Amino acid sequence: MRIRATVAAVTGALALSALVVPAAQAADASSGKAAFSAAAADGTTSTAATVDVTFSNMKVNKGRNIVVGTTNVVSVPVTYTLTHPVGMDVSENNFASGPLIYRGSSVTTPSNMIISDDPATCTTASTTTLNCSGTIYIRPAEGELYNSDAGTWNAGGLAVTQNGDQKTQGGLGATKVQRYSKLTVNAGPEPVYKGKTITSTGKLSRANWEDGHYHGYTNQPVKLQFRKAGTSTYTTVKTVYSDSYGNLKATATAAYDGYWRFSFAGTTTTPAVSATGDYVDVR
């Protein structure tokens, strides 16, 4: 079963794109899972009664930023606690819940939202609490993200009963969704005589979610670093900025055999990345 809803701002309105089980199949299935599917397809909105449950202790991706490239599906683990009244039927046939992340200040009016494909797996912790774990899948190749979506997202949860009563709760924490970054370096000439100039060139690029390619990340500070052969620590030599195509160029004086690399500290929208060191023999 796939249950995924993406809500995007289009001409000032919310447009829902969902991949779910067929409507007839969901209607015939008498289970909380089917109700969860239907609610996800509706964008978590309903005129039915509100389920008397509360989400808490939600942890998205083990507290790490979510980094998304252009093609690979990213699996985001989520854990949370769900509190319910004593005696409430939270069996699989009657009840289902799952995590979601959304872009914007309100879970009811998000600019984008991604809901877990399937209901979470929950275990009983007490007569009123469940410990749950689920997975949110992000599929960049299917147009789930705009470049403007990079940055802070909020966490939330969706709970649904078999008869369609549901609750959507937001404001359960924040996570960053970032555009995957790449960084290259080529140092030379190789070999080089001591005291001569070493020139390092490279490129800083990041995922473009809208066209599925990588483009240069422009005007970003990037450090040129050196690690002497036989040691394990890089030292920053200077800082340069990427040009309008993301290209980098830096010069330094040859003194010792060792490895040269570029290192980018990252931004809110783009993760830190360091190039693999390029060895230069100094004679």
Side-chain angles (χ1 to χ4, degrees):
M1 181 191 305
R2 295 179 66 193
I3 305 164
R4 174 174 54 85
T6 302
V7 182
V10 179
T11 62
L14 292 179
L16 179 65
S17 171
L19 292 178
V20 298
V21 294
Q25 179 180 340
D28 292 340
S30 178
S31 71
K33 286 186 176 182
F36 185 88
S37 172
D42 288 338
T44 76
T45 60
S46 173
T47 57
T50 300
V51 182
D52 186 16
V53 297
T54 302
F55 291 86
S56 62
N57 302 322
M58 185 163 284
K59 192 167 188 177
V60 178
N61 206 35
K62 300 179 180 179
R64 300 189 296 258
N65 294 339
I66 303 168
V67 180
V68 182
T70 58
T71 56
N72 291 342
V73 177
V74 178
S75 302
V76 182
V78 183
T79 58
Y80 58 90
T81 300
L82 192 141
T83 304
H84 61 85
V86 174
M88 178 179 173
D89 183 359
V90 290
S91 64
E92 182 177 301
N93 286 337
N94 184 68
F95 179 83
S97 68
L100 59 87
I101 56 173
Y102 63 97
R103 180 81 161 152
S105 58
S106 171
V107 71
T108 59
T109 56
S111 61
N112 203 350
M113 177 184 288
I114 302 176
I115 305 174
S116 56
D117 281 27
D118 292 299
T121 299
C122 299
T123 58
T124 301
S126 73
T127 56
T128 59
T129 58
L130 300 174
N131 290 331
C132 304
S133 60
T135 304
I136 295 172
Y137 295 98
I138 301 178
R139 300 174 173 86
E142 297 183 13
E144 291 190 338
L145 297 170
Y146 294 104
N147 292 331
S148 58
D149 286 327
T152 301
W153 287 55
N154 296 297
L158 169 64
V160 187
T161 62
Q162 184 272 336
N163 63 8
D165 295 342
Q166 64 180 268
K167 179 176 182 178
T168 305
Q169 183 180 339
L172 296 172
T175 185
K176 284 186 174 62
V177 179
Q178 297 180 310
R179 297 164 63 178
Y180 188 91
S181 55
K182 297 181 179 181
L183 186 56
T184 62
V185 69
N186 183 32
E190 303 175 61
V192 65
Y193 288 101
K194 187 174 184 178
K196 297 297 184 178
T197 297
I198 292 178
T199 301
S200 297
T201 58
K203 184 171 184 175
L204 174 64
S205 58
R206 61 176 178 168
N208 186 309
W209 293 329
E210 294 170 18
D211 67 12
H213 297 285
Y214 282 81
H215 298 278
Y217 196 8
T218 66
N219 196 34
Q220 296 300 311
V222 178
K223 296 177 180 178
L224 174 67
Q225 298 183 327
F226 176 72
R227 175 169 68 86
K228 186 178 178 181
T231 67
S232 59
T233 303
Y234 277 93
T235 300
T236 298
V237 177
K238 63 173 63 176
T239 298
V240 295
Y241 281 78
S242 56
D243 68 12
S244 57
Y245 297 96
N247 295 321
L248 298 159
K249 183 176 182 179
T251 59
T253 301
Y256 305 99
D257 294 348
Y259 300 85
W260 295 88
R261 75 176 186 182
F262 286 118
S263 183
F264 174 59
T267 63
T268 299
T269 62
T270 309
V273 62
S274 293
T276 300
D278 187 19
Y279 181 80
V280 175
D281 177 23
V282 177
R283 297 181 178 178

